[in-house]
Amino acid sequence: MEKWVYRFGRGQAEGGVSDVAILGGKGANLAEMANLGLPVPPGLTIVADACSWYFQHEKTLPEALMAQVLDGIAAMEAETGRTFGGATSPLLLSIRSGARASMPGMMDTVLNLGLNDETVQALGHDAGDARFAWDSYRRFIQMYADVVMGLDHEVFEEILEDEKARHGHEYDTDLSAVEWQHVVSLYKQVIEEELGDTFPQDPHVQLWQAIAAVFSSWMNQRAMTYRMLHRIPEHWGTAVNVQAMVFGNLGSSSATGVAFTRNPSTGRKELYGEFLVNAQGEDVVAGIRTPQSLTEEGRLASGSEKPSMEKLMPETFREFSEICDRLEAHYRDMQDVEFTVERGRLWMLQTRSGKRTTRAAMKIAVDMVDERLITENEAVSRIEPPSLDQLLHPTIDPRVERVIMGSGLPASPGAASGEIVFTAEEAVEAEAEGRKVILVRIETSPEDIHGMHAAEAILTTRGGMTSHAAVVARGMGIPCVVGAGSMRVDLRNEQLICPGGITLKRGDIITLDGSSGHVLKGNVPMMQPELSGDFGRLMQWADKARRMTVRTNADTPQDARAARSFGAEGIGLCRTEHMFFEGERIHVMREMILAEDEAGRREALAKLLPMQRSDFTELFEIMHGLPVTIRLLDPPLHEFLPKSDEEIAEVAKAMGMDAAFLRRRVDALHEFNPMLGHRGCRLAISYPEIAEMQARAIFEAVVAAARETGEAVELEIMVPLVSLRAELDYVKACIDRVAIEVGGETGMTIGYLAGTMIELPRAALRAHVIAETAEFFSFGTNDLTQTTFGISRDDAASFIPVYQRKGIIEQDPFISLDFDGVGELIRLAAERGRKTRADLKLGICGEHGGDPASITFCEEAGLDYVSCSPFRVPIARLAAAQAAIAQGRQKN
Ligand code: ADP
Ligand code: MG
Ligand code: MG
C-alpha cells in the first residue's frame, strides 16, 4: 500500500532530515527534531506527492491517505490524552504547508482546527481560561475563512478594530472572554453575509477542507510567482503537516517566538530573535504588538523597555538556548527556529537553515571553520557565488555628513539611492523604464514581491527584524530598513512624513543605509567595499581549492586595476578595438580606413602605433608578469565610420573631405550581415599591415614594460574568428615576422604564444588541425553560441523571452552556456586540440566565463582558465573552487 503519511511524535519519527523531497522541509525537520528527542508536539506529514495526486484527481484526496491520516490522529490522541472533536479534552490541530524548498509566507497555515461552538467550551474549561478559548476560536475562524473559504482577513480585522474601539482597548490581549465570544458571533455572521455559507462545525469537514486548501495554495498566484523567481519546479508539490496544537496564548506564562541561532544580518554568534507573551502563531511577525527581544543583550541593543525572555522566563530560556546550540551542532549550520511556550513548557515548532545576508553567510562559514564545525572546503561550498555581488556593492562613505530624515531597524545591509515610490506596481514600472526606486511601505506582504525585486532598497515604517520585508530583502540581498516608526506613510497624498513634519513626496530621492537603519536625504556618496577580513580568508580557501585560474576581460588600465584588486590572475581577453574609439584616435582610424591604398593606410597606422604601444605598456605594467592575451582587431571596419547623413557631413568637414565621397566609401563598406562579414582574421588577411602594426605595438610594449618592471610579460596573441588553419597560418606568419624584426631592433628575444579563439563551429570541429599552429585556444562563447544556434545575439531579445515563457528553452544560452550543443563543441575541440598538442592552453573568454553554472562546465571540460569581467572575478574564483571541490579535482 502506498505510504501517504509519515508520523512524528514522542522521541521518534518515521522520517528524518534526509526525506526533504518526500516530506518537505518543515516535515522532514519536525521529524528530525522528534528523533533528536526535542519537545515537538506530535503530528503527521502528508507526503508532497499527494499534492500532485490532488491536482490530477479534480482536487480530491485518495481514500488510503484519509485512512492513514485518521490513524495518525488516533496516535496523536493517544499521546496527548485528547480527542479530536471531543466534547471534553478536545485535540486541536495545526494544518501547515511545507514544500521541499522553503517558501516563507508563500502558502497557508490554519491553527486551532477542531474548534466549534461545543469544543470551545471544553477548551476553556480544561484550561480554566475562557478568554483563551474564545481567542483561539476567533483566530481559527479568521484563518479558516481566509485560507479555506477565501474570505479576505480584512473584514475580520475591521470587526476587531471596531470592537476594540468600542471597549476602549489598545491591544487584542485586552479583550475579555465575553468580548471575544461576541467577536466570534460577528465573525460567523459576516461569513454568512459575505459567502452565503456557514462556518463548518464538524471538525472532520474542517480537517479535509483545510488539507485540500493547503494543497490548493501550491497553485495560488503568490506561490507561483515565488516558484518562478526561485526556479522551484511545480511538480515538487507541497507536503501538509497536521500537528497537535500547543498554545502560546494561554496567559502570561505562555509565549510564541522566532529565533536565529546567529545574527542573520551580521553573522555574529548570538541568539537572535523576538517573542511575544500571550500570543499565537504569526503575531510576532505580523507587527500587531511590538515583539520583545529574546536576550538581555538584544533588549539593550534595541533600547527596549520590555523585558527579554532571558529575564522573564529564565528556566525556559536556558532550555531553549541549549536546544538552539544542539540544533546548530547537529545541522552544522545556522538555524532559524520557531517555538511556543505553553504555561512555562517549551515546544519546538520548526527549524530550518536560516536565510542570511552574504556578509553574515561569510562570517558564519569562517567562524564555523574556526569552531571546527565544518571544513574549509565546506565553508567555500556554502557561499552562493552570485551573492558575492552584494559585498562588491557600495556602502555610504563614512566621511560624508548624513542628513538623516528618519531611521528604523537595519534589516538588510548595503546602501542604495533612488526615487520614492509607494506601491509595488510603481516600482515595477519604474524599473522597466530604467529608473532607480526605493519602495516605501507601511509593511510589505507577499503580494509586494515583484515590486521588492524591482526596487533598489525597501523601507517600511512598521515591523521588526523578522518581518516579511526584512526576511525577503535579506534573501534578495537588497538594502532594507524596517520599522521606521518615527516616519509615517501617507498613501492618500503620496507622502512620507518625517519627524519634525518634513514631508518627502513620491519621486523625491532618498538614500537608505541598510547597515545603520538611516534614511538619508538625496543621493549620498558611496564607497567601494573592503575585500579583506572574512571575505579575504574565504577567498583564500577558495583559491586553494581551485584548479582553474581566473583571468579577466579588460581593455583599459582601469578595468585591469579593478580586476587585479578582485584577484584576477591575468587578462584572458584584451579587445584592441576599444583603443581606437577614444578622442583623437577615431580620426586617425578613419584616415586609415578611408585611405585609397596600402601606402595611405600605412601612413595612418604609423600614427596609431605609438598610441597602441603606450596602452599595451600600461596594461603589461599593471599585470606585472601575469599572462595577458591580446586579441587582434575584430570588428568590421565600418563600425568606425559615421552612419547618418549628418554624421557623415560632420566627419567629412573635420577631415577636409568631400561628403559625397565619404558617403560612397561608407556605402562600399556596408555589409548585409556584419556579424558574419569582413571581420576578425579576415581583416588581417585583407590588410596585413593592420595586424603588423598591432603586433609591432604589442612587442615594443613588451620590451618597454619588461625594461620598466624587470618582469617578462607572459604574452599571448590571439587571432579572432578563425575557421581554417590556413587563416591562422597566414596571420601567425605575419606576427612571427614582426617579432623577429622587433627582437633584432631591441636586442631582446620576445617570448609569446600565438593562438586562436574558437568561436566558429568549423574551428571546433577542425581543432586537431588548427592546434598544429595554435599554441592556445580561447573559447569565444558569445560568437560560438551565436554561430552554433544561428541566432544573432543582437536580435535574440525579440524572441528568446518568448521561448522561455513557452518552455522551449529554460535559459538564455547567451547568459548560461548551452551545455548540450555549444558545450559539445567545446568538449570536442578541447579533446581534439589536446590530441595534437598535449600542452595546449585552454580558456574561455565569453560572457559565460563569469557564470557559475558555465564555470562548472569549464571545470568538467578540463579548461585551464576562465576569463570574465572584473566585477565577476570573485564570483568566478568561488565558482571555480566549488566546481573543483565537487569534482574532487582540487589543486595540490
Ligand atoms: P510558515 O511556513 O508560514 O512559517 P508555519 O506552518 O510554520 O507557517 O506556521 C506559522 C506559525 O504557526 C508557527 O510559527 C507557529 O507559531 C504557529 N504554529 C504552527 N503549528 C503550531 C502548533 N502545532 N502549535 C502552535 N502553534 C503552531
Ligand atoms: Mg507564515
Ligand atoms: Mg514557520
Side-chain angles (χ1 to χ4, degrees), residues 798-867:
S798 57
F799 56 91
I800 293 281
V802 181
Y803 270 42
Q804 284 175 297
R805 230 176 11 253
K806 300 203 166 172
I808 291 178
I809 53 167
E810 208 177 298
Q811 309 230 42
D812 181 342
F814 291 102
I815 292 170
S816 204
L817 194 70
D818 160 45
F819 301 152
D820 299 340
V822 180
E824 179 78 14
L825 283 172
I826 293 175
R827 274 190 295 259
L828 184 144
E831 203 178 293
R832 290 187 179 176
R834 282 206 167 132
K835 209 167 265 170
T836 300
R837 190 187 286 271
D839 62 348
L840 184 72
K841 235 198 236 188
L842 298 174
I844 180 174
C845 63
E847 296 294 312
H848 302 98
D851 169 62
S854 310
I855 291 170
T856 304
F857 170 88
C858 295
E859 171 67 36
E860 287 165 12
L863 301 199
D864 297 304
Y865 70 86
V866 298
S867 186

Side-chain angles (χ1 to χ4, degrees), residues 26 96 338 350 352:
K26 200 180 289 166
R96 320 167 63 185
E338 298 175 9
Q350 190 170 338
R352 63 181 164 207

Side-chain angles (χ1 to χ4, degrees), residues 26 96-97 104-105 109 258 282 336-338 349-352:
K26 200 180 289 166
R96 320 167 63 185
S97 63
T109 301
V258 296
E282 308 271 69
D336 166 358
V337 301
E338 298 175 9
L349 294 175
Q350 190 170 338
T351 190
R352 63 181 164 207

Side-chain angles (χ1 to χ4, degrees), residues 311-330:
K311 195 72 175 265
L312 209 59
M313 320 178 157
E315 279 298 309
T316 319
F317 174 79
R318 197 163 322 128
E319 189 193 349
F320 176 65
S321 125
E322 275 166 22
I323 287 177
C324 287
D325 288 345
R326 246 187 99 187
L327 283 173
E328 202 178 74
H330 179 71

Side-chain angles (χ1 to χ4, degrees), residues 107-148:
M107 291 182 301
D108 298 315
T109 301
V110 178
L111 302 179
N112 308 329
L113 185 131
L115 279 177
N116 57 26
D117 296 349
E118 194 178 12
T119 53
V120 69
Q121 302 287 353
L123 183 71
H125 178 265
D126 288 351
D129 186 344
R131 189 211 62 85
F132 148 73
W134 287 103
D135 172 46
S136 302
Y137 195 17
R138 65 93 190 181
R139 290 170 184 271
F140 172 48
I141 295 175
Q142 173 172 339
M143 278 186 262
Y144 189 90
D146 181 359
V147 174
V148 182

Side-chain angles (χ1 to χ4, degrees), residues 670-890:
H670 169 81
E671 289 180 309
F672 287 103
N673 209 334
M675 248 358 146
L676 305 174
H678 199 176
R679 54 170 286 219
C681 66
R682 298 161 196 172
L683 286 175
I685 290 167
S686 307
Y687 310 110
E689 56 277 12
I690 300 179
E692 266 170 42
M693 180 283 282
Q694 289 203 292
R696 178 166 279 278
I698 294 167
F699 292 130
E700 289 179 357
V702 166
V703 172
R707 287 196 176 134
E708 185 66 34
T709 63
E711 274 165 316
V713 178
E714 202 180 300
L715 174 66
E716 296 169 1
I717 298 181
M718 181 154 80
V719 182
L721 217 72
V722 164
S723 53
L724 302 156
R725 178 192 155 166
E727 289 174 319
L728 181 60
D729 286 343
Y730 182 92
V731 183
K732 182 170 185 290
C734 161
I735 295 168
D736 290 343
R737 202 164 52 237
V738 178
I740 293 169
E741 276 171 30
V742 176
E745 288 157 23
T746 58
M748 231 169 102
T749 346
I750 301 166
Y752 62 95
L753 299 181
T756 180
M757 292 188 78
I758 300 289
E759 49 188 337
L760 294 172
R762 191 182 193 286
L765 294 169
R766 302 295 291 165
H768 49 300
V769 179
I770 292 176
E772 285 167 8
T773 304
E775 292 162 311
F776 67 85
F777 286 171
S778 176
F779 291 98
T781 48
N782 300 341
D783 265 314
L784 190 58
T785 299
Q786 187 155 250
T787 51
T788 300
F789 275 90
I791 292 176
S792 137
R793 184 157 57 125
D794 300 325
D795 302 311
S798 57
F799 56 91
I800 293 281
V802 181
Y803 270 42
Q804 284 175 297
R805 230 176 11 253
K806 300 203 166 172
I808 291 178
I809 53 167
E810 208 177 298
Q811 309 230 42
D812 181 342
F814 291 102
I815 292 170
S816 204
L817 194 70
D818 160 45
F819 301 152
D820 299 340
V822 180
E824 179 78 14
L825 283 172
I826 293 175
R827 274 190 295 259
L828 184 144
E831 203 178 293
R832 290 187 179 176
R834 282 206 167 132
K835 209 167 265 170
T836 300
R837 190 187 286 271
D839 62 348
L840 184 72
K841 235 198 236 188
L842 298 174
I844 180 174
C845 63
E847 296 294 312
H848 302 98
D851 169 62
S854 310
I855 291 170
T856 304
F857 170 88
C858 295
E859 171 67 36
E860 287 165 12
L863 301 199
D864 297 304
Y865 70 86
V866 298
S867 186
C868 58
S869 60
F871 266 84
R872 296 201 73 86
V873 165
I875 296 171
R877 284 162 68 197
L878 184 58
Q882 293 184 351
I885 291 169
Q887 286 269 305
R889 270 221 303 224
Q890 300 147 55

